[in-house]
Amino acid sequence: MATERYNPRDAEPRWQQEWDKNNVYLTDNDDPREKYYVLEMFPYPSGRIHMGHVRNYAMGDVVARYKRARGYNVLHPMGWDAFGMPAENAAMERGVHPASWTYQNIASMKAQLKVMGLSLDWSREFATCDVEYYQRQQYLFLDFLEKGLVYRKQSKVNWDPVDHTVLANEQVIDGRGWRSGALVEQRELTQWFFRITDFSQDLLDSLDTLDQWPEKVRLMQRNWIGRSEGLTIRWEIAGAPASTDEKEVTVYTTRPDTLFGASFLAIAADHPLARQVASGNAEIAEFCDECRRAGTSLAALETAEKKGIDTGIRVRHPLDPSWELPVYVANFVLMDYGTGAIFGCPSGDQRDLDFARKYNLPVVPVVMPKDGDAASFTIGDEAYVGDGVMINSRFLDGLSTEEAFGKVAATLESKEIGGLPQAERKVNFRLRDWGISRQRYWGCPIPVIHCDDCGVVPVPKQDLPVKLPDDVTFDKPGNPLDRHPTWRHVACPQCAKDARRETDTMDTFVDSSWYFTRFTAPWEDKPTDPKVASHWLPVDQYIGGIEHAILHLLYSRFFTRAMKATGHVALDEPFKGLFTQGMVVHETYSRGEGAQREWITPAEIRIEEIEGTRIATHVETGEKIKIGSIEKMSKSKKNVVDPDDIIGSYGADTARFFVLSDSPPDRDVIWSEAGVEGSHRFVQRAWRLISEAAPALKQADARPAKTGAAREISQITHKTLKAVEADYEKLAFNKAVARLYELVNALASPLTQVAAGRADDDTVSAVKDAVTILIHMIAPMMPHLAEECWREIGGNGLIAQSLWPAYDEDLVAENEITLPVQINGKKRADLTIARDADQIAVQSAVLALEAVQAALNGQSPKKIIVVPQRIVNVVV
RNA sequence: GCGGACGUGGCGAAACUGGUAGACGCAAGGGACUUAAAAUCCCUCGGCCUUAGGCUAUACGGGUUCGAUCCCCGUCGUCCGCACCA
């Protein structure tokens, strides 16, 4: 009777070979069946996969295998997001070439993924750093350029004055360069931009059509695009220092209703007016410089203390020429948004209020809540930002904020200064154009040539690819393309004179904005085969981290539109269904404090629980280690777990099953060693029960039992099938897992009886049906175990190529239901009654219950609430 | 700072988004089998009260409702994004 334990080290490679041999996961573009495209966000080849990858790809693989079983022609490809900074950092730190570092990483990560037994079409694999890929990206760039979707403009970068290099935001720590420690400066460079703002309105409107996206992602994108309806208002300059010659300042506001609450104007440090004033005033110039030293990150800017300086300029209030207001330069006003100038209404905006208190500017309440008292309404430390009734606003008093908006707009639109209306209604977007220039080597070269005579000349398509030179050095900071002895020198394609290549490369977000399209025909000479791309796209189910909710997804949505405009695809929205998985997080461990703080990996640590307190000890040294907060697994904090260890000891199926089972997939999962054992026990238990009964099951027909004792087996099996189907459709893997546990628990005793030869024919047939269904249900999550069990019970072919079973409606339906009975909202009894019993029948049955009789104590109930199929509540 | 989420036993969670709170798993405890261990099987398991049973409990404080983990208002805590990390 005793069967051997299931040995994944033997079974898993065996089945992987079998799948490969039969080309089970190769996808044919000409297959006539309905298509289904499932894609997980491709990984950055950092060198090792981590548990986040395992979770991500396990989820995608369940969807792929499930959809395949449902009869779809499934596309499930994989590739590598291979350009980016870490390769250059490795080159600087260890002297490895970015290309060899990257390709080695890809090789080892691919080997790790292979071991997971994912149903991927590896024939379509590519890395974005493959010349074949970035050549087509350059082709797209040229098409976009021709179409007017790309342009150059001045834009700021973080400049490290010691290393003479451009820094990424993450390389700026507290305003200093991460390596040099020098105070970062902002520098203006001419850079390349994609005109994503051409599509602002469409990108916003189309969010409504993405009904298979999480609402929170749509909301985040909506806020990011940030459409607002407001007014640009021109303010006449009444007096100014000698260094300025402007006559007016234009501000953008979404709250013209609060105009009578204005107490100052604030402009950005880069506003032309600020520059003029600064040229004649050292103190203001110093303040503007200080603003520029903050780096370019918005988060850094806005968390900084709000500061300003009076420019000496005075402007006239648009609705009262005798009222003059001061103009400040303020560090929280952005040149990129609106007009780079605002008017401050302290009573209606918290930031303005803080600013006003700091610089002793007047605070006049102009909006109060509807039921407020105008005489006593004041503003303390908190601004009133809501809607309400206008006060202290002359001709607007008593109006609603909305009415006041309209009235101010109408008044100022009809008023003219210098022959032009003083105000204009304006729709504004927060979204900015996408700057793609990077002053770095390891990225896709921007295919243009700078000629002194012809200006900016696109590289002719027949000259593509513009290949990255291999012979580069990283001994110095800065862009190796810039200092390469020959690479940048090239003849102008137009006049053949000496010219220079563009040395900027593209943002890696460009690479990831169309890889899903390339997967549909990665062998094409052109970027895509438009017919094939439009057949496969949109991606039916895209799965990835919530951290990409805005940028990657928005850029991809733009890129698809741009590719449509240039004839490469025939659709706007690349991702029909989106699922954002939670991250894998882990405790952090460290020793030392402050700058001496050193992070320790979980592998180096032993955790013990002593009297309810968890204590971490360094395995080698025996030193006590501080247990820190739970954070996203990252290299810098070293709180990573190596999936190889898990797969090595338990097998891929256990690892896959575990990451799917513990937490809801859209929530963060805290990795813990405990629990893997449980998943593994389930694998062994399922194997043992099935393989022991297999000899008896092999001979039997699979037939659900409609009557008799075996009916119960068939009922729970078919109910589980129905539920698991629904769970897989919703990607609720953790619930599917729970139901499978329940089913196996229920089948344990029948299986044991079958194995012992103590079951009648009907039971054996019902059990065979149950086991067949069970194997199909576990196959998407644990494909190797499923194949092994399938073979054991004498199944035909591969489970990976079998169709999903259908549940039997009869067995799923319930004739009787048990209703909970509440008295005054508290559960006091149960009532079992026919499923189709009407209200009256339910009511009288309830009143007959002992518990209800006791509670009523002879009186009649106040009310009986019967929620059909759900609950009964008796109000006494 | 702004935007978005999340918070339920010792732990991961479930509850068909207004209808029995804690399914299922982990950990823990007890028992069976065994010379012994592992594996396996059975039982207990939010808290309080003396059992039948009752009271209490979904971060905290209010509200709406016959009924709230779910809806509304406020507070606290944690996480993600903020445009050059990917």
Side-chain angles (χ1 to χ4, degrees):
Chain A
M1 184 60 59
T3 325
E4 282 193 26
R5 277 171 67 80
Y6 175 66
N7 182 2
R9 267 185 290 266
D10 162 58
E12 292 183 349
R14 195 153 34 76
W15 289 112
Q16 286 164 16
Q17 276 169 29
E18 192 68 18
W19 296 327
D20 280 350
K21 207 174 82 194
N22 292 287
N23 288 333
V24 174
Y25 307 126
L26 293 190
T27 304
D28 178 3
N29 279 354
D30 297 323
D31 190 309
R33 290 174 301 166
E34 196 178 336
K35 68 98 182 179
Y36 193 91
Y37 187 177
V38 55
L39 183 69
E40 302 94 62
M41 291 179 184
F42 67 163
Y44 178 79
S46 57
R48 312 287 300 162
I49 64 169
H50 53 69
M51 289 320 293
H53 292 125
V54 173
R55 197 177 187 214
N56 190 194
Y57 304 134
M59 288 179 193
D61 202 43
V62 173
V63 174
R65 288 175 183 276
Y66 173 70
K67 288 293 175 181
R68 228 175 260 122
R70 300 304 311 237
Y72 290 90
N73 183 34
V74 170
L75 177 59
H76 187 212
M78 179 59 71
W80 309 94
D81 188 12
F83 275 136
M85 283 200 314
E88 293 197 21
N89 292 338
M92 275 183 265
E93 282 157 18
R94 273 169 279 161
V96 238
H97 193 279
S100 57
W101 184 84
T102 304
Y103 282 106
Q104 271 168 30
N105 284 349
I106 288 174
S108 48
M109 284 177 78
K110 185 174 175 182
Q112 287 185 296
L113 288 185
K114 285 269 187 177
V115 168
M116 282 183 66
L118 302 169
S119 64
L120 291 164
D121 181 351
W122 283 105
S123 74
R124 295 172 189 248
E125 176 196 6
F126 59 78
T128 55
C129 64
D130 293 345
V131 188
E132 295 76 23
Y133 184 77
Y134 73 70
Q135 174 182 351
R136 275 72 187 189
Q137 188 162 304
Q138 291 171 339
Y139 188 109
L140 291 174
F141 178 93
L142 293 173
D143 278 357
F144 291 3
L145 187 62
E146 201 183 324
K147 198 80 185 171
L149 293 167
V150 192
Y151 68 103
R152 295 173 90 204
K153 70 168 177 185
Q154 290 267 305
S155 172
K156 285 188 221 134
V157 293
N158 299 307
W159 180 255
D160 187 319
V162 170
D163 276 354
H164 298 287
T165 187
V166 176
L167 299 176
N169 282 338
E170 78 159 4
Q171 297 173 320
V172 179
I173 298 153
D174 297 328
R176 291 174 183 275
W178 66 333
R179 286 188 213 275
S180 70
L183 276 175
V184 167
E185 298 167 5
Q186 290 184 2
R187 271 221 174 166
E188 292 265 350
L189 295 179
T190 304
Q191 307 198 67
W192 289 95
F193 284 80
F194 283 154
R195 285 192 198 277
I196 189 172
T197 56
D198 277 9
F199 298 86
S200 299
Q201 189 67 52
D202 183 39
L203 287 167
L204 179 67
D205 292 343
S206 301
L207 286 172
D208 294 336
T209 68
L210 298 173
D211 54 358
Q212 290 177 45
W213 281 38
E215 187 52 44
K216 62 176 172 184
V217 175
R218 293 197 278 168
L219 188 56
M220 280 192 258
Q221 292 217 352
R222 223 168 263 140
N223 290 333
W224 185 263
I225 295 167
R227 185 184 196 276
S228 64
E229 289 178 18
L231 221 53
T232 52
I233 303 176
R234 298 160 62 212
W235 298 59
E236 211 179 328
I237 293 179
S243 59
T244 60
D245 55 10
E246 298 282 335
K247 295 276 180 294
E248 58 184 59
V249 195
T250 305
V251 307
Y252 175 75
T253 180
T254 56
R255 293 295 302 272
D257 50 302
T258 65
L259 201 50
F260 286 108
S263 54
F264 64 94
L265 254 56
I267 58 175
D270 291 312
H271 195 279
L273 204 50
R275 290 182 186 273
Q276 284 184 14
V277 179
S279 70
N281 182 319
E283 205 187 333
I284 294 173
E286 171 51 32
F287 181 80
C288 291
D289 282 346
E290 191 191 317
C291 292
R292 284 185 202 107
R293 275 197 294 271
T296 59
S297 140
L298 189 59
L301 211 66
E302 292 206 352
T303 41
E305 191 194 352
K306 308 293 172 285
K307 278 191 213 165
I309 188 165
D310 190 344
T311 58
I313 300 174
R314 295 294 176 268
V315 289
R316 270 189 241 292
H317 195 279
L319 295 168
D320 180 355
S322 66
W323 180 0
E324 290 190 3
L325 291 84
V327 179
Y328 280 73
V329 177
N331 63 354
F332 58 87
V333 180
L334 305 171
M335 196 58 223
D336 296 322
Y337 186 75
T339 60
I342 59 154
F343 81 77
C345 172
S347 63
D349 183 285
Q350 193 58 43
R351 209 162 48 176
D352 295 347
L353 181 63
D354 295 342
F355 193 81
R357 294 287 187 223
K358 187 163 180 170
Y359 296 104
N360 287 318
L361 296 161
V363 178
V364 181
V366 284
V367 181
M368 66 167 187
K370 256 203 187 79
D371 47 6
D373 172 31
S376 62
F377 184 73
T378 53
I379 296 289
D381 291 334
E382 262 180 62
Y384 178 72
V385 297
D387 285 345
V389 182
M390 305 309 302
I391 51 171
N392 302 321
S393 294
R394 308 187 194 182
F395 67 97
L396 304 174
D397 281 351
L399 298 182
S400 71
T401 37
E402 203 182 322
E403 290 161 344
F405 186 118
K407 199 149 181 182
V408 169
T411 308
L412 293 178
E413 273 172 327
S414 60
K415 210 171 141 189
E416 291 196 343
I417 51 170
L420 292 165
Q422 185 155 20
E424 265 181 282
R425 281 180 185 267
K426 174 121 199 280
V427 172
N428 201 46
F429 292 93
R430 205 185 76 102
L431 182 66
R432 310 199 297 256
D433 273 334
W434 174 12
I436 60 154
S437 283
R438 296 293 181 271
Q439 294 71 38
R440 273 184 254 289
Y441 167 76
W442 196 233
C444 172
I446 293 175
V448 296
I449 291 164
H450 299 277
C451 171
D452 287 337
D453 292 347
C454 310
V456 174
V457 182
V459 173
K461 280 183 182 165
Q462 67 269 19
D463 292 351
L464 294 182
V466 176
K467 272 178 81 170
L468 287 169
D470 289 330
D471 51 336
V472 283
T473 53
F474 292 90
D475 47 349
K476 293 187 271 255
N479 185 354
L481 294 179
D482 260 344
R483 53 169 190 262
H484 191 279
T486 54
W487 184 79
R488 58 182 312 189
H489 302 295
V490 67
C492 170
Q494 273 176 24
C495 68
K497 274 180 46 181
D498 282 354
R500 298 169 312 281
R501 284 195 190 284
E502 171 68 66
T503 57
D504 281 357
T505 51
M506 294 186 210
D507 178 9
T508 55
F509 271 123
V510 180
D511 313 339
S512 55
S513 288
W514 72 287
Y515 75 106
F516 44 86
T517 308
R518 185 71 187 165
F519 276 141
T520 63
W523 44 78
E524 270 305 305
D525 189 41
K526 294 273 178 66
T528 68
D529 177 338
K531 256 171 82 183
V532 171
S534 303
H535 164 72
W536 279 113
L537 291 173
V539 174
D540 293 276
Q541 186 65 63
Y542 194 37
I543 307 176
I546 183 72
E547 67 271 25
H548 295 294
I550 297 175
L551 290 179
H552 163 59
L553 292 169
L554 195 61
Y555 289 153
S556 298
R557 296 179 64 218
F558 156 73
F559 217 85
T560 305
R561 283 163 170 76
M563 285 176 75
K564 185 185 174 194
T566 49
H568 294 284
V569 294
L571 79 165
D572 289 321
E573 289 297 340
F575 310 122
K576 184 169 171 222
L578 172 71
F579 189 87
T580 53
Q581 67 176 94
M583 289 180 301
V584 179
V585 294
H586 198 286
E587 281 178 342
T588 49
Y589 311 103
S590 63
R591 60 181 164 202
E593 295 290 332
Q596 260 73 60
R597 187 166 191 176
E598 185 197 350
W599 301 99
I600 319 273
T601 64
E604 300 172 81
I605 279 165
R606 192 180 56 240
I607 304 257
E608 290 162 301
E609 201 170 316
I610 298 168
E611 285 162 15
T613 324
R614 298 174 67 246
I615 296 187
T617 328
H618 196 265
V619 176
E620 259 175 51
T621 63
E623 204 180 337
K624 287 263 177 294
I625 299 295
K626 192 173 148 203
I627 301 182
S629 60
I630 292 169
E631 291 183 52
K632 169 174 156 180
M633 284 192 181
S634 74
K635 272 192 170 173
S636 59
K637 299 273 170 74
K638 289 194 178 171
N639 56 339
V640 290
V641 173
D642 195 337
D644 269 6
D645 298 346
I646 310 297
I647 295 175
S649 21
Y650 301 103
D653 282 341
T654 297
R656 294 167 56 121
F657 193 65
F658 176 66
V659 292
L660 293 170
S661 63
D662 234 22
S663 284
D666 54 349
R667 212 185 284 183
D668 287 354
V669 60
I670 301 169
W671 177 265
S672 66
E673 301 298 318
V676 184
E677 284 281 355
S679 295
H680 191 61
R681 265 203 293 278
F682 180 78
V683 169
Q684 292 297 348
R685 181 165 139 92
W687 167 251
R688 185 168 38 79
L689 288 169
I690 291 172
S691 62
E692 282 178 1
L697 293 176
K698 225 171 192 162
Q699 338 284 326
D701 289 334
R703 193 175 61 244
K706 298 294 184 80
T707 54
R711 181 180 158 88
E712 227 173 289
I713 297 168
S714 296
Q715 267 186 313
I716 182 166
T717 303
H718 286 251
K719 277 183 193 167
T720 305
L721 176 57
K722 185 181 179 182
V724 167
E725 234 175 83
D727 289 338
Y728 280 161
E729 294 284 352
K730 284 184 298 193
L731 283 74
F733 310 111
N734 58 323
K735 292 191 217 169
V737 168
R739 294 188 214 279
L740 291 174
Y741 269 110
E742 272 175 308
L743 179 60
V744 170
N745 285 344
L747 292 179
S749 129
L751 276 166
T752 313
Q753 281 173 27
V754 169
R758 288 200 303 267
D760 58 38
D761 286 356
D762 282 351
T763 304
V764 174
S765 291
V767 168
K768 172 92 180 241
D769 177 61
V771 169
T772 303
I773 289 172
L774 174 65
I775 293 171
H776 276 97
M777 288 191 293
I778 64 168
M781 294 193 276
M782 300 192 283
H784 311 89
L785 176 68
E787 296 289 4
E788 198 77 359
C789 292
W790 188 239
R791 190 197 56 192
E792 202 70 1
I793 66 158
N796 282 328
L798 292 166
I799 198 82
Q801 292 179 303
S802 312
L803 287 176
W804 192 255
Y807 60 84
D808 186 316
E809 284 291 353
D810 273 2
L811 291 164
V812 169
E814 292 275 12
N815 299 326
E816 285 200 325
I817 48 171
T818 300
L819 289 176
V821 177
Q822 294 183 331
I823 294 166
N824 291 337
K826 297 212 183 240
K827 194 209 158 192
R828 283 298 125 94
D830 284 313
L831 174 70
T832 303
I833 196 161
R835 187 187 177 77
D836 50 7
D838 61 20
Q839 285 238 359
I840 315 249
V842 172
Q843 280 194 15
S844 52
V846 163
L847 288 173
L849 288 171
E850 210 175 300
V852 176
Q853 290 286 324
L856 283 173
N857 211 359
Q859 295 168 313
S860 59
K862 247 195 200 157
K863 203 171 173 186
I864 301 178
I865 296 147
V866 180
V867 183
Q869 323 275 314
R870 277 280 167 83
I871 202 165
V872 181
N873 191 9
V874 181
V875 185
V876 178

